[in-house]
mmCIF file with all atom_site columns, all heavy atoms in Angstrom:
data_model
loop_
_atom_site.group_PDB
_atom_site.id
_atom_site.type_symbol
_atom_site.label_atom_id
_atom_site.label_alt_id
_atom_site.label_comp_id
_atom_site.label_asym_id
_atom_site.label_entity_id
_atom_site.label_seq_id
_atom_site.pdbx_PDB_ins_code
_atom_site.Cartn_x
_atom_site.Cartn_y
_atom_site.Cartn_z
_atom_site.occupancy
_atom_site.B_iso_or_equiv
_atom_site.pdbx_formal_charge
_atom_site.auth_seq_id
_atom_site.auth_comp_id
_atom_site.auth_asym_id
_atom_site.auth_atom_id
_atom_site.pdbx_PDB_model_num
ATOM   1   N  N   . GLY D 1 55 ? -34.459 50.090 -8.228  1.00 0.00 ? 55  GLY D N   1
ATOM   2   C  CA  . GLY D 1 55 ? -35.673 50.749 -8.696  1.00 0.00 ? 55  GLY D CA  1
ATOM   3   C  C   . GLY D 1 55 ? -35.451 52.171 -9.185  1.00 0.00 ? 55  GLY D C   1
ATOM   4   O  O   . GLY D 1 55 ? -36.402 52.938 -9.344  1.00 0.00 ? 55  GLY D O   1
ATOM   5   N  N   . HIS D 1 58 ? -35.610 51.963 -15.119 1.00 0.00 ? 58  HIS D N   1
ATOM   6   C  CA  . HIS D 1 58 ? -36.465 50.936 -15.722 1.00 0.00 ? 58  HIS D CA  1
ATOM   7   C  C   . HIS D 1 58 ? -35.896 50.529 -17.076 1.00 0.00 ? 58  HIS D C   1
ATOM   8   O  O   . HIS D 1 58 ? -35.319 51.349 -17.781 1.00 0.00 ? 58  HIS D O   1
ATOM   9   C  CB  . HIS D 1 58 ? -37.883 51.467 -15.923 1.00 0.00 ? 58  HIS D CB  1
ATOM   10  C  CG  . HIS D 1 58 ? -38.567 51.849 -14.649 1.00 0.00 ? 58  HIS D CG  1
ATOM   11  N  ND1 . HIS D 1 58 ? -38.982 50.933 -13.712 1.00 0.00 ? 58  HIS D ND1 1
ATOM   12  C  CD2 . HIS D 1 58 ? -38.896 53.057 -14.151 1.00 0.00 ? 58  HIS D CD2 1
ATOM   13  C  CE1 . HIS D 1 58 ? -39.549 51.567 -12.698 1.00 0.00 ? 58  HIS D CE1 1
ATOM   14  N  NE2 . HIS D 1 58 ? -39.515 52.864 -12.932 1.00 0.00 ? 58  HIS D NE2 1
ATOM   15  N  N   . ALA D 1 68 ? -34.436 56.588 -16.642 1.00 0.00 ? 68  ALA D N   1
ATOM   16  C  CA  . ALA D 1 68 ? -34.481 56.895 -15.218 1.00 0.00 ? 68  ALA D CA  1
ATOM   17  C  C   . ALA D 1 68 ? -35.924 56.849 -14.754 1.00 0.00 ? 68  ALA D C   1
ATOM   18  O  O   . ALA D 1 68 ? -36.835 57.250 -15.486 1.00 0.00 ? 68  ALA D O   1
ATOM   19  C  CB  . ALA D 1 68 ? -33.887 58.263 -14.959 1.00 0.00 ? 68  ALA D CB  1
ATOM   20  N  N   . CYS D 1 69 ? -36.132 56.346 -13.565 1.00 0.00 ? 69  CYS D N   1
ATOM   21  C  CA  . CYS D 1 69 ? -37.475 56.338 -12.981 1.00 0.00 ? 69  CYS D CA  1
ATOM   22  C  C   . CYS D 1 69 ? -37.911 57.764 -12.726 1.00 0.00 ? 69  CYS D C   1
ATOM   23  O  O   . CYS D 1 69 ? -37.120 58.592 -12.272 1.00 0.00 ? 69  CYS D O   1
ATOM   24  C  CB  . CYS D 1 69 ? -37.473 55.549 -11.678 1.00 0.00 ? 69  CYS D CB  1
ATOM   25  S  SG  . CYS D 1 69 ? -39.062 55.589 -10.823 1.00 0.00 ? 69  CYS D SG  1
ATOM   26  N  N   . THR D 1 70 ? -39.175 58.051 -13.039 1.00 0.00 ? 70  THR D N   1
ATOM   27  C  CA  . THR D 1 70 ? -39.671 59.409 -12.841 1.00 0.00 ? 70  THR D CA  1
ATOM   28  C  C   . THR D 1 70 ? -40.694 59.475 -11.712 1.00 0.00 ? 70  THR D C   1
ATOM   29  O  O   . THR D 1 70 ? -41.381 60.482 -11.555 1.00 0.00 ? 70  THR D O   1
ATOM   30  C  CB  . THR D 1 70 ? -40.330 59.939 -14.132 1.00 0.00 ? 70  THR D CB  1
ATOM   31  O  OG1 . THR D 1 70 ? -41.369 59.036 -14.533 1.00 0.00 ? 70  THR D OG1 1
ATOM   32  C  CG2 . THR D 1 70 ? -39.302 60.062 -15.249 1.00 0.00 ? 70  THR D CG2 1
ATOM   33  N  N   . CYS D 1 71 ? -40.795 58.396 -10.951 1.00 0.00 ? 71  CYS D N   1
ATOM   34  C  CA  . CYS D 1 71 ? -41.732 58.408 -9.829  1.00 0.00 ? 71  CYS D CA  1
ATOM   35  C  C   . CYS D 1 71 ? -41.353 59.511 -8.861  1.00 0.00 ? 71  CYS D C   1
ATOM   36  O  O   . CYS D 1 71 ? -40.172 59.749 -8.628  1.00 0.00 ? 71  CYS D O   1
ATOM   37  C  CB  . CYS D 1 71 ? -41.672 57.105 -9.054  1.00 0.00 ? 71  CYS D CB  1
ATOM   38  S  SG  . CYS D 1 71 ? -42.270 55.727 -9.976  1.00 0.00 ? 71  CYS D SG  1
ATOM   39  N  N   . HIS D 1 73 ? -41.900 59.316 -5.661  1.00 0.00 ? 73  HIS D N   1
ATOM   40  C  CA  . HIS D 1 73 ? -41.541 58.750 -4.345  1.00 0.00 ? 73  HIS D CA  1
ATOM   41  C  C   . HIS D 1 73 ? -40.042 58.515 -4.198  1.00 0.00 ? 73  HIS D C   1
ATOM   42  O  O   . HIS D 1 73 ? -39.264 58.746 -5.115  1.00 0.00 ? 73  HIS D O   1
ATOM   43  C  CB  . HIS D 1 73 ? -42.329 57.479 -4.063  1.00 0.00 ? 73  HIS D CB  1
ATOM   44  C  CG  . HIS D 1 73 ? -41.919 56.331 -4.929  1.00 0.00 ? 73  HIS D CG  1
ATOM   45  N  ND1 . HIS D 1 73 ? -40.637 55.865 -5.026  1.00 0.00 ? 73  HIS D ND1 1
ATOM   46  C  CD2 . HIS D 1 73 ? -42.649 55.551 -5.749  1.00 0.00 ? 73  HIS D CD2 1
ATOM   47  C  CE1 . HIS D 1 73 ? -40.606 54.854 -5.851  1.00 0.00 ? 73  HIS D CE1 1
ATOM   48  N  NE2 . HIS D 1 73 ? -41.808 54.652 -6.317  1.00 0.00 ? 73  HIS D NE2 1
ATOM   49  N  N   . HIS D 1 75 ? -38.351 55.740 -3.647  1.00 0.00 ? 75  HIS D N   1
ATOM   50  C  CA  . HIS D 1 75 ? -37.845 54.436 -4.055  1.00 0.00 ? 75  HIS D CA  1
ATOM   51  C  C   . HIS D 1 75 ? -37.571 53.506 -2.876  1.00 0.00 ? 75  HIS D C   1
ATOM   52  O  O   . HIS D 1 75 ? -36.918 52.485 -3.031  1.00 0.00 ? 75  HIS D O   1
ATOM   53  C  CB  . HIS D 1 75 ? -36.556 54.570 -4.886  1.00 0.00 ? 75  HIS D CB  1
ATOM   54  C  CG  . HIS D 1 75 ? -36.752 55.433 -6.081  1.00 0.00 ? 75  HIS D CG  1
ATOM   55  N  ND1 . HIS D 1 75 ? -37.399 54.997 -7.202  1.00 0.00 ? 75  HIS D ND1 1
ATOM   56  C  CD2 . HIS D 1 75 ? -36.424 56.718 -6.306  1.00 0.00 ? 75  HIS D CD2 1
ATOM   57  C  CE1 . HIS D 1 75 ? -37.435 55.981 -8.087  1.00 0.00 ? 75  HIS D CE1 1
ATOM   58  N  NE2 . HIS D 1 75 ? -36.862 57.033 -7.561  1.00 0.00 ? 75  HIS D NE2 1
ATOM   59  N  N   . HIS D 1 79 ? -42.381 49.590 -6.360  1.00 0.00 ? 79  HIS D N   1
ATOM   60  C  CA  . HIS D 1 79 ? -43.103 50.334 -7.376  1.00 0.00 ? 79  HIS D CA  1
ATOM   61  C  C   . HIS D 1 79 ? -44.499 49.821 -7.624  1.00 0.00 ? 79  HIS D C   1
ATOM   62  O  O   . HIS D 1 79 ? -45.354 50.559 -8.083  1.00 0.00 ? 79  HIS D O   1
ATOM   63  C  CB  . HIS D 1 79 ? -42.385 50.166 -8.724  1.00 0.00 ? 79  HIS D CB  1
ATOM   64  C  CG  . HIS D 1 79 ? -41.481 51.276 -9.047  1.00 0.00 ? 79  HIS D CG  1
ATOM   65  N  ND1 . HIS D 1 79 ? -40.259 51.395 -8.490  1.00 0.00 ? 79  HIS D ND1 1
ATOM   66  C  CD2 . HIS D 1 79 ? -41.631 52.333 -9.883  1.00 0.00 ? 79  HIS D CD2 1
ATOM   67  C  CE1 . HIS D 1 79 ? -39.681 52.475 -8.984  1.00 0.00 ? 79  HIS D CE1 1
ATOM   68  N  NE2 . HIS D 1 79 ? -40.485 53.052 -9.828  1.00 0.00 ? 79  HIS D NE2 1
ATOM   69  N  N   . THR D 1 82 ? -45.439 49.071 -13.178 1.00 0.00 ? 82  THR D N   1
ATOM   70  C  CA  . THR D 1 82 ? -45.092 50.300 -13.882 1.00 0.00 ? 82  THR D CA  1
ATOM   71  C  C   . THR D 1 82 ? -45.468 50.142 -15.353 1.00 0.00 ? 82  THR D C   1
ATOM   72  O  O   . THR D 1 82 ? -45.199 49.105 -15.952 1.00 0.00 ? 82  THR D O   1
ATOM   73  C  CB  . THR D 1 82 ? -43.582 50.562 -13.777 1.00 0.00 ? 82  THR D CB  1
ATOM   74  O  OG1 . THR D 1 82 ? -43.222 50.590 -12.394 1.00 0.00 ? 82  THR D OG1 1
ATOM   75  C  CG2 . THR D 1 82 ? -43.219 51.885 -14.398 1.00 0.00 ? 82  THR D CG2 1
ATOM   76  N  N   . PHE D 1 84 ? -45.697 52.246 -19.328 1.00 0.00 ? 84  PHE D N   1
ATOM   77  C  CA  . PHE D 1 84 ? -45.086 53.331 -20.097 1.00 0.00 ? 84  PHE D CA  1
ATOM   78  C  C   . PHE D 1 84 ? -45.849 53.571 -21.390 1.00 0.00 ? 84  PHE D C   1
ATOM   79  O  O   . PHE D 1 84 ? -46.247 52.609 -22.058 1.00 0.00 ? 84  PHE D O   1
ATOM   80  C  CB  . PHE D 1 84 ? -43.644 52.992 -20.476 1.00 0.00 ? 84  PHE D CB  1
ATOM   81  C  CG  . PHE D 1 84 ? -42.774 52.657 -19.301 1.00 0.00 ? 84  PHE D CG  1
ATOM   82  C  CD1 . PHE D 1 84 ? -42.689 51.354 -18.846 1.00 0.00 ? 84  PHE D CD1 1
ATOM   83  C  CD2 . PHE D 1 84 ? -42.061 53.652 -18.645 1.00 0.00 ? 84  PHE D CD2 1
ATOM   84  C  CE1 . PHE D 1 84 ? -41.887 51.039 -17.759 1.00 0.00 ? 84  PHE D CE1 1
ATOM   85  C  CE2 . PHE D 1 84 ? -41.268 53.346 -17.553 1.00 0.00 ? 84  PHE D CE2 1
ATOM   86  C  CZ  . PHE D 1 84 ? -41.177 52.037 -17.101 1.00 0.00 ? 84  PHE D CZ  1
ATOM   87  N  N   . GLU D 1 95 ? -43.926 57.479 -17.792 1.00 0.00 ? 95  GLU D N   1
ATOM   88  C  CA  . GLU D 1 95 ? -44.170 56.396 -16.835 1.00 0.00 ? 95  GLU D CA  1
ATOM   89  C  C   . GLU D 1 95 ? -45.455 56.675 -16.084 1.00 0.00 ? 95  GLU D C   1
ATOM   90  O  O   . GLU D 1 95 ? -45.710 57.807 -15.692 1.00 0.00 ? 95  GLU D O   1
ATOM   91  C  CB  . GLU D 1 95 ? -42.983 56.344 -15.863 1.00 0.00 ? 95  GLU D CB  1
ATOM   92  C  CG  . GLU D 1 95 ? -43.155 55.353 -14.727 1.00 0.00 ? 95  GLU D CG  1
ATOM   93  C  CD  . GLU D 1 95 ? -41.916 55.278 -13.831 1.00 0.00 ? 95  GLU D CD  1
ATOM   94  O  OE1 . GLU D 1 95 ? -40.857 55.853 -14.198 1.00 0.00 ? 95  GLU D OE1 1
ATOM   95  O  OE2 . GLU D 1 95 ? -42.023 54.661 -12.748 1.00 0.00 ? 95  GLU D OE2 1
ATOM   96  N  N   . HIS D 1 97 ? -48.629 54.750 -13.291 1.00 0.00 ? 97  HIS D N   1
ATOM   97  C  CA  . HIS D 1 97 ? -49.019 53.649 -12.407 1.00 0.00 ? 97  HIS D CA  1
ATOM   98  C  C   . HIS D 1 97 ? -50.520 53.735 -12.211 1.00 0.00 ? 97  HIS D C   1
ATOM   99  O  O   . HIS D 1 97 ? -51.063 54.829 -12.136 1.00 0.00 ? 97  HIS D O   1
ATOM   100 C  CB  . HIS D 1 97 ? -48.296 53.787 -11.065 1.00 0.00 ? 97  HIS D CB  1
ATOM   101 C  CG  . HIS D 1 97 ? -46.812 53.780 -11.189 1.00 0.00 ? 97  HIS D CG  1
ATOM   102 N  ND1 . HIS D 1 97 ? -46.053 52.668 -10.953 1.00 0.00 ? 97  HIS D ND1 1
ATOM   103 C  CD2 . HIS D 1 97 ? -45.949 54.753 -11.571 1.00 0.00 ? 97  HIS D CD2 1
ATOM   104 C  CE1 . HIS D 1 97 ? -44.789 52.954 -11.173 1.00 0.00 ? 97  HIS D CE1 1
ATOM   105 N  NE2 . HIS D 1 97 ? -44.679 54.219 -11.546 1.00 0.00 ? 97  HIS D NE2 1
HETATM 106 ZN ZN1 . ZN  H 2 .  ? -40.534 54.255 -11.728 1.00 0.00 ? 201 ZN  H ZN1 1
#
Side-chain angles (χ1 to χ4, degrees):
Chain D
H58 298 290
C69 176
T70 56
C71 293
H73 70 55
H75 303 283
H79 263 78
T82 304
F84 304 89
E95 174 177 350
H97 301 261

